[in-house]
mmCIF file of all heavy atoms in Angstrom:
data_model
loop_
_atom_site.group_PDB
_atom_site.id
_atom_site.type_symbol
_atom_site.label_atom_id
_atom_site.label_comp_id
_atom_site.label_asym_id
_atom_site.label_seq_id
_atom_site.Cartn_x
_atom_site.Cartn_y
_atom_site.Cartn_z
ATOM 1 N N LYS A 3 2.279 4.781 0.998
ATOM 2 C CA LYS A 3 2.281 5.426 2.323
ATOM 3 C C LYS A 3 1.210 6.473 2.447
ATOM 4 O O LYS A 3 1.138 7.348 1.540
ATOM 5 C CB LYS A 3 3.683 5.874 2.662
ATOM 6 C CG LYS A 3 4.008 5.674 4.051
ATOM 7 C CD LYS A 3 5.364 5.989 4.437
ATOM 8 C CE LYS A 3 5.402 5.927 5.913
ATOM 9 N NZ LYS A 3 6.610 5.628 6.506
ATOM 10 N N LEU A 9 -12.108 -0.640 0.827
ATOM 11 C CA LEU A 9 -12.113 -2.031 1.224
ATOM 12 C C LEU A 9 -13.268 -2.739 0.665
ATOM 13 O O LEU A 9 -14.377 -2.253 0.614
ATOM 14 C CB LEU A 9 -12.224 -2.051 2.782
ATOM 15 C CG LEU A 9 -12.136 -3.373 3.453
ATOM 16 C CD1 LEU A 9 -10.773 -3.899 3.380
ATOM 17 C CD2 LEU A 9 -12.665 -3.248 4.844
ATOM 18 N N THR A 14 -20.014 -10.397 7.590
ATOM 19 C CA THR A 14 -19.418 -10.648 8.917
ATOM 20 C C THR A 14 -20.209 -11.719 9.646
ATOM 21 O O THR A 14 -21.426 -11.570 9.780
ATOM 22 C CB THR A 14 -19.341 -9.330 9.728
ATOM 23 O OG1 THR A 14 -18.514 -8.410 9.044
ATOM 24 C CG2 THR A 14 -18.849 -9.566 11.134
ATOM 25 N N VAL A 16 -20.753 -13.822 13.160
ATOM 26 C CA VAL A 16 -20.489 -13.676 14.637
ATOM 27 C C VAL A 16 -20.636 -15.073 15.277
ATOM 28 O O VAL A 16 -21.652 -15.743 15.143
ATOM 29 C CB VAL A 16 -21.505 -12.679 15.344
ATOM 30 C CG1 VAL A 16 -21.165 -12.559 16.844
ATOM 31 C CG2 VAL A 16 -21.429 -11.311 14.655
ATOM 32 N N LYS A 35 -9.607 -19.263 8.538
ATOM 33 C CA LYS A 35 -9.924 -17.954 7.867
ATOM 34 C C LYS A 35 -8.711 -17.030 7.996
ATOM 35 O O LYS A 35 -8.322 -16.269 7.118
ATOM 36 C CB LYS A 35 -11.204 -17.320 8.483
ATOM 37 C CG LYS A 35 -11.746 -16.191 7.627
ATOM 38 C CD LYS A 35 -12.379 -16.815 6.401
ATOM 39 C CE LYS A 35 -12.690 -15.755 5.355
ATOM 40 N NZ LYS A 35 -13.109 -16.311 4.082
ATOM 41 N N ILE A 42 -10.064 -11.451 11.737
ATOM 42 C CA ILE A 42 -10.849 -12.024 12.847
ATOM 43 C C ILE A 42 -10.843 -11.074 14.008
ATOM 44 O O ILE A 42 -9.794 -10.771 14.514
ATOM 45 C CB ILE A 42 -10.286 -13.408 13.257
ATOM 46 C CG1 ILE A 42 -9.968 -14.290 12.023
ATOM 47 C CG2 ILE A 42 -11.214 -14.133 14.307
ATOM 48 C CD1 ILE A 42 -11.182 -14.763 11.266
ATOM 49 N N ALA A 43 -12.027 -10.741 14.526
ATOM 50 C CA ALA A 43 -12.069 -9.950 15.756
ATOM 51 C C ALA A 43 -12.294 -10.901 16.950
ATOM 52 O O ALA A 43 -13.034 -11.836 16.828
ATOM 53 C CB ALA A 43 -13.207 -8.927 15.691
ATOM 54 N N ILE A 81 1.238 -12.992 20.820
ATOM 55 C CA ILE A 81 1.893 -14.311 20.788
ATOM 56 C C ILE A 81 1.218 -15.250 21.857
ATOM 57 O O ILE A 81 0.585 -14.799 22.756
ATOM 58 C CB ILE A 81 3.379 -14.245 20.909
ATOM 59 C CG1 ILE A 81 3.817 -13.536 22.240
ATOM 60 C CG2 ILE A 81 4.061 -13.495 19.713
ATOM 61 C CD1 ILE A 81 5.216 -13.595 22.609
ATOM 62 N N ALA A 98 13.280 -7.793 29.148
ATOM 63 C CA ALA A 98 12.042 -8.267 28.535
ATOM 64 C C ALA A 98 11.677 -9.654 29.038
ATOM 65 O O ALA A 98 10.508 -9.892 29.346
ATOM 66 C CB ALA A 98 12.264 -8.341 27.072
ATOM 67 N N LEU A 101 10.342 -9.270 32.604
ATOM 68 C CA LEU A 101 9.016 -8.657 32.648
ATOM 69 C C LEU A 101 7.982 -9.745 32.155
ATOM 70 O O LEU A 101 6.869 -9.790 32.725
ATOM 71 C CB LEU A 101 8.943 -7.454 31.797
ATOM 72 C CG LEU A 101 9.663 -6.194 32.329
ATOM 73 C CD1 LEU A 101 9.705 -5.077 31.289
ATOM 74 C CD2 LEU A 101 9.041 -5.678 33.628
ATOM 75 N N PRO A 107 1.009 -14.263 30.743
ATOM 76 C CA PRO A 107 0.126 -13.501 29.870
ATOM 77 C C PRO A 107 -0.546 -12.357 30.668
ATOM 78 O O PRO A 107 -0.958 -12.578 31.800
ATOM 79 C CB PRO A 107 -0.926 -14.546 29.421
ATOM 80 C CG PRO A 107 -0.911 -15.569 30.476
ATOM 81 C CD PRO A 107 0.460 -15.578 31.106
ATOM 82 N N LYS A 115 13.125 -4.527 19.214
ATOM 83 C CA LYS A 115 13.553 -4.491 17.813
ATOM 84 C C LYS A 115 12.735 -5.517 17.014
ATOM 85 O O LYS A 115 12.588 -6.648 17.500
ATOM 86 C CB LYS A 115 15.043 -4.878 17.725
ATOM 87 C CG LYS A 115 15.920 -3.812 18.233
ATOM 88 C CD LYS A 115 16.150 -2.722 17.123
ATOM 89 C CE LYS A 115 16.830 -1.529 17.735
ATOM 90 N NZ LYS A 115 16.352 -0.202 17.167
ATOM 91 N N THR A 166 -15.255 -2.973 23.729
ATOM 92 C CA THR A 166 -15.146 -3.880 24.842
ATOM 93 C C THR A 166 -16.356 -4.861 24.831
ATOM 94 O O THR A 166 -16.439 -5.657 25.740
ATOM 95 C CB THR A 166 -15.143 -3.073 26.171
ATOM 96 O OG1 THR A 166 -16.333 -2.276 26.245
ATOM 97 C CG2 THR A 166 -13.957 -2.132 26.298
ATOM 98 N N VAL A 206 7.341 4.123 29.531
ATOM 99 C CA VAL A 206 5.956 3.756 29.278
ATOM 100 C C VAL A 206 5.377 4.783 28.291
ATOM 101 O O VAL A 206 5.406 5.996 28.490
ATOM 102 C CB VAL A 206 5.151 3.793 30.598
ATOM 103 C CG1 VAL A 206 3.616 3.691 30.334
ATOM 104 C CG2 VAL A 206 5.515 2.550 31.464
ATOM 105 N N LEU A 258 -14.131 17.513 29.820
ATOM 106 C CA LEU A 258 -13.549 16.886 31.028
ATOM 107 C C LEU A 258 -13.341 17.931 32.152
ATOM 108 O O LEU A 258 -12.696 18.942 31.855
ATOM 109 C CB LEU A 258 -12.262 16.241 30.635
ATOM 110 C CG LEU A 258 -11.456 15.549 31.758
ATOM 111 C CD1 LEU A 258 -12.223 14.475 32.513
ATOM 112 C CD2 LEU A 258 -10.103 14.946 31.220
ATOM 113 N N ILE A 272 -23.194 20.687 36.558
ATOM 114 C CA ILE A 272 -24.633 20.861 36.437
ATOM 115 C C ILE A 272 -25.013 22.091 35.688
ATOM 116 O O ILE A 272 -25.850 22.150 34.779
ATOM 117 C CB ILE A 272 -25.241 20.820 37.816
ATOM 118 C CG1 ILE A 272 -25.135 19.401 38.467
ATOM 119 C CG2 ILE A 272 -26.692 21.248 37.796
ATOM 120 C CD1 ILE A 272 -25.523 19.291 39.881
ATOM 121 N N LEU A 320 -15.914 2.489 30.984
ATOM 122 C CA LEU A 320 -15.657 3.795 30.330
ATOM 123 C C LEU A 320 -16.064 3.789 28.889
ATOM 124 O O LEU A 320 -16.853 4.676 28.475
ATOM 125 C CB LEU A 320 -14.193 4.232 30.517
ATOM 126 C CG LEU A 320 -13.885 5.625 30.116
ATOM 127 C CD1 LEU A 320 -14.575 6.573 31.012
ATOM 128 C CD2 LEU A 320 -12.358 5.811 30.192
ATOM 129 N N LEU A 327 -23.804 6.546 25.263
ATOM 130 C CA LEU A 327 -24.318 7.977 25.155
ATOM 131 C C LEU A 327 -24.285 8.405 23.681
ATOM 132 O O LEU A 327 -25.187 9.087 23.242
ATOM 133 C CB LEU A 327 -23.481 8.912 26.016
ATOM 134 C CG LEU A 327 -23.676 8.686 27.557
ATOM 135 C CD1 LEU A 327 -22.780 9.616 28.366
ATOM 136 C CD2 LEU A 327 -25.171 9.017 27.941
ATOM 137 N N ASN A 329 -24.918 6.418 21.194
ATOM 138 C CA ASN A 329 -26.055 5.791 20.524
ATOM 139 C C ASN A 329 -27.328 6.517 20.911
ATOM 140 O O ASN A 329 -28.308 6.464 20.195
ATOM 141 C CB ASN A 329 -26.111 4.334 20.972
ATOM 142 C CG ASN A 329 -25.055 3.501 20.296
ATOM 143 O OD1 ASN A 329 -24.470 3.913 19.280
ATOM 144 N ND2 ASN A 329 -24.782 2.313 20.846
ATOM 145 N N LYS A 331 -27.391 9.587 20.849
ATOM 146 C CA LYS A 331 -27.215 10.763 19.985
ATOM 147 C C LYS A 331 -27.076 12.139 20.783
ATOM 148 O O LYS A 331 -27.599 13.143 20.462
ATOM 149 C CB LYS A 331 -28.384 10.955 18.999
ATOM 150 C CG LYS A 331 -28.618 9.784 18.099
ATOM 151 C CD LYS A 331 -28.266 10.024 16.672
ATOM 152 C CE LYS A 331 -28.357 8.945 15.748
ATOM 153 N NZ LYS A 331 -27.802 7.637 16.041
ATOM 154 N N PHE A 340 -11.084 11.323 37.757
ATOM 155 C CA PHE A 340 -11.006 10.554 38.986
ATOM 156 C C PHE A 340 -9.580 10.545 39.492
ATOM 157 O O PHE A 340 -8.698 11.069 38.841
ATOM 158 C CB PHE A 340 -11.615 9.186 38.732
ATOM 159 C CG PHE A 340 -13.011 9.204 38.126
ATOM 160 C CD1 PHE A 340 -13.131 9.105 36.771
ATOM 161 C CD2 PHE A 340 -14.094 9.477 38.905
ATOM 162 C CE1 PHE A 340 -14.381 9.192 36.175
ATOM 163 C CE2 PHE A 340 -15.389 9.661 38.310
ATOM 164 C CZ PHE A 340 -15.512 9.499 36.921
#
Side-chain angles (χ1 to χ4, degrees):
K3 217 172 172 156
L9 183 74
T14 297
V16 181
K35 194 73 194 168
I42 312 294
I81 56 173
L101 290 171
K115 286 279 168 219
T166 56
V206 168
L258 176 60
I272 292 171
L320 188 65
L327 291 177
N329 289 340
K331 305 247 175 317
F340 306 97

